[in-house]
Amino acid sequence: MLSITNILRCQRPITKQISVRILIRNWHKEAIPVVWEKPEKGWTKLNFDGSSKGKANKASIGGVFRNHKAEFILGYAESIGRANSTIAELAALRRGLELVLENGWNDVWLEGDAKTLIDIITKRRQVKSSEVQRHISDINLIILELDNCLVTHVYREGNRAADKFAQIGHHMKKPGIWRNVPPDELLAIMKEDAEGKTVLRLR
């Protein structure tokens, strides 16, 4: 007859195997593959992002424009003072659209990782905040000037380049613009996006 100690010793591997199986099952269930997608030929794609940090709501914005070959066209980043994350996201998109007009791009794909914001714009939802509504109204007016405009949501894992520019913005004393050549911090991400690297998102 097995002793209590031996019984418990025999049970440990079984419990461990069950835990591993549960972990593997959850991994397959929850992992979402995310890929940055190139725009069609003739289109320019903007990925934008806003960032707000700490209790002081120190905010910054950033964005990156690429063509159908995933080639870097232009990037921007700047600190915008105090603002919550929603205002930062809106400011990032608005600044990106201003650059769209300045550069004469007419077929533009706009993509960000703030789903609520994307829904507000694409579904014409009303908001209570007058500041938010002012930004949205300005954004919609600019969009109306474009020949073709696509607005989509992507998970943060597919918006890494814009996020990096927004993080750079936190450390800038004045607005920055990069043309044709991205900052060194972006090179690895740009290469992975161009190659179609899949990044797994865990819920």
Side-chain angles (χ1 to χ4, degrees), residues 158-178:
N159 205 41
R160 295 180 299 155
D163 175 70
K164 179 63 74 172
F165 269 111
Q167 297 309 313
I168 291 174
H170 279 293
H171 307 286
M172 301 190 68
K173 294 182 179 180
K174 59 181 182 179
I177 296 286
W178 292 260

Side-chain angles (χ1 to χ4, degrees), residues 123-140:
K123 298 178 182 179
R124 303 284 181 171
R125 292 181 176 174
Q126 295 296 313
V127 294
K128 295 180 179 180
S129 169
S130 58
E131 184 178 8
V132 170
Q133 187 58 57
R134 185 170 66 254
H135 277 285
I136 292 173
S137 297
D138 291 340
I139 287 167
N140 286 332

Side-chain angles (χ1 to χ4, degrees), residues 104-173:
W105 297 318
N106 290 307
D107 301 318
V108 183
W109 182 356
L110 311 173
E111 188 170 74
D113 57 37
K115 190 174 187 308
T116 301
L117 168 60
I118 299 300
D119 286 345
I120 290 173
I121 294 172
T122 58
K123 298 178 182 179
R124 303 284 181 171
R125 292 181 176 174
Q126 295 296 313
V127 294
K128 295 180 179 180
S129 169
S130 58
E131 184 178 8
V132 170
Q133 187 58 57
R134 185 170 66 254
H135 277 285
I136 292 173
S137 297
D138 291 340
I139 287 167
N140 286 332
L141 285 174
I142 296 176
I143 288 176
L144 287 174
E145 296 187 39
L146 306 177
D147 291 342
N148 293 290
C149 183
L150 177 65
V151 183
T152 61
H153 166 261
V154 68
Y155 288 118
R156 180 165 296 277
E157 289 78 4
N159 205 41
R160 295 180 299 155
D163 175 70
K164 179 63 74 172
F165 269 111
Q167 297 309 313
I168 291 174
H170 279 293
H171 307 286
M172 301 190 68
K173 294 182 179 180

Side-chain angles (χ1 to χ4, degrees), residues 7-102:
I7 292 174
L8 292 176
R9 189 180 295 122
C10 290
Q11 289 177 334
R12 283 186 190 127
I14 297 174
T15 304
K16 185 176 182 180
Q17 289 174 4
I18 293 173
S19 298
V20 171
R21 284 200 298 270
I22 292 173
L23 178 61
I24 292 174
R25 192 186 305 110
N26 287 339
W27 170 272
H28 287 296
K29 181 180 179 182
E30 299 296 340
I32 301 173
V34 182
V35 180
W36 179 82
E37 296 182 10
K38 301 175 185 177
E40 293 183 4
K41 187 174 182 179
W43 283 63
T44 303
K45 185 174 183 180
L46 164 64
N47 281 86
F48 63 92
D49 197 22
S51 174
S52 181
K53 292 185 175 181
K55 295 181 179 179
N57 283 339
K58 182 182 177 183
S60 64
I61 63 173
V64 54
F65 291 91
R66 286 172 278 192
N67 63 19
H68 68 285
K69 295 181 179 179
E71 295 170 334
F72 178 85
I73 301 174
L74 183 151
Y76 61 95
E78 64 179 280
S79 171
I80 60 170
R82 290 172 57 92
N84 60 36
S85 58
T86 299
I87 296 300
E89 292 280 357
L90 287 166
L93 175 54
R94 179 177 175 177
R95 178 58 182 139
L97 283 168
E98 290 171 352
L99 289 167
V100 165
L101 295 182
E102 290 175 17

